[in-house]
């Protein structure tokens, strides 16, 4: 069912930070089922990167039923696209309309992933590796999310060492 496939694609995008075509074009050969990881080999900068697939996302991926061989995880259902990847544009647009979400694109899922990781206190170097960023300045767009974390750390330090 397309709805379940779209749900899985969205979850994989947020869980891995994968770009639209990295997720939509995912092939079973890119998945390391034992290590629970995915290697994105067709990336924006042509630099392969391997990232983990969180446990719950991996369960959904396994339940999706495409675990063997060399085949698209999301195969196209169009007659002229045999062997290609499914194009979720129409389904994603419909899902956004149903959820009454405006001005949001698939790439927003990548930003959501980065935001969640920053709020989970993932280090800059790790973020750079997960998202395939070359420069730390790419992380800067998310630094406002560090403010709460920094305040918490400073408060812990003050409580421990600044007995005023």
């Amino acid at each position: 069912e397309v709805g379940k496939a779209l749900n899985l694609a969205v979850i994989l995008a947020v869980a891995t930070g994968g770009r639209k075509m990295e997720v939509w074009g995912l092939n079973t050969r890119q998945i390391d089922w034992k290590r629970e990881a995915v290697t994105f080999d067709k990336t924006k900068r042509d630099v392969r990167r391997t990232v983990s697939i969180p446990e719950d996302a991996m369960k959904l991926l396994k339940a999706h039923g495409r675990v063997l061989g060399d085949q698209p995880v999301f195969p196209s259902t169009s007659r002229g696209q045999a062997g290609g990847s499914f194009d979720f544009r129409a389904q994603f647009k419909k899902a956004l309309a149903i959820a009454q979400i405006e001005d949001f694109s698939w790439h927003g899922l990548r930003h959501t992933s980065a935001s969640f990781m920053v709020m989970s206190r993932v280090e800059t170097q790790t973020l750079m590796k997960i998202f395939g960023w070359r420069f730390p300045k790419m992380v800067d767009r998310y630094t406002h999310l560090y403010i709460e974390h920094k305040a918490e750390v400073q408060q812990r330090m003050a409580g421990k060492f600044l007995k005023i």
Side-chain angles (χ1 to χ4, degrees):
E1 177 186 318
V2 174
K4 286 184 180 180
L6 175 61
N7 181 59
L8 175 58
V10 167
I11 287 171
L12 287 173
V14 175
T16 65
R19 291 181 178 88
K20 177 172 70 174
M21 295 319 297
E22 293 170 346
V23 173
W24 292 8
L26 193 59
N27 192 292
T28 53
R29 69 175 160 64
Q30 295 171 262
I31 301 167
D32 184 328
W33 299 97
K34 291 180 183 169
R35 289 181 41 222
E36 298 189 340
V38 60
T39 298
F40 294 121
D41 50 13
K42 293 178 183 169
T43 64
K44 181 179 176 181
R45 294 188 309 110
D46 292 325
V47 176
R48 292 170 46 116
R49 69 182 194 287
T50 300
V51 297
S52 295
I53 301 173
E55 185 179 330
D56 289 340
M58 195 68 187
K59 285 178 186 175
L60 286 176
L61 186 57
K62 287 177 180 176
H64 184 61
R66 296 191 171 278
V67 296
L68 300 173
D70 184 2
Q71 61 181 323
V73 171
F74 305 109
S76 175
T77 55
S78 299
R79 290 183 186 192
Q81 292 281 333
S85 299
F86 193 83
D87 184 332
F88 287 103
R89 278 183 285 208
Q91 290 76 16
F92 187 64
K93 186 175 180 180
K94 183 178 178 182
L96 292 175
I98 290 169
Q100 298 180 336
I101 297 172
E102 297 177 6
D103 195 31
F104 190 81
S105 68
W106 188 272
H107 196 71
L109 298 173
R110 186 167 160 85
H111 290 294
T112 299
S113 178
S115 297
F116 286 169
M117 289 192 196
V118 166
M119 290 185 289
S120 298
R121 303 178 183 139
V122 176
E123 295 175 357
T124 297
Q125 290 298 318
T126 303
L127 285 167
M128 290 173 62
K129 290 192 184 313
I130 290 171
F131 290 93
W133 296 330
R134 284 186 285 188
F135 307 107
K137 70 178 183 176
M138 294 299 294
V139 180
D140 289 349
R141 70 177 65 175
Y142 304 100
T143 55
H144 66 282
L145 300 171
Y146 278 125
I147 293 170
E148 182 180 310
H149 170 62
K150 289 189 284 187
E152 180 184 314
V153 171
Q154 288 175 289
Q155 185 59 46
R156 272 197 321 245
M157 181 277 300
K160 188 172 185 176
F161 297 109
L162 300 178
K163 303 290 184 181
I164 301 174

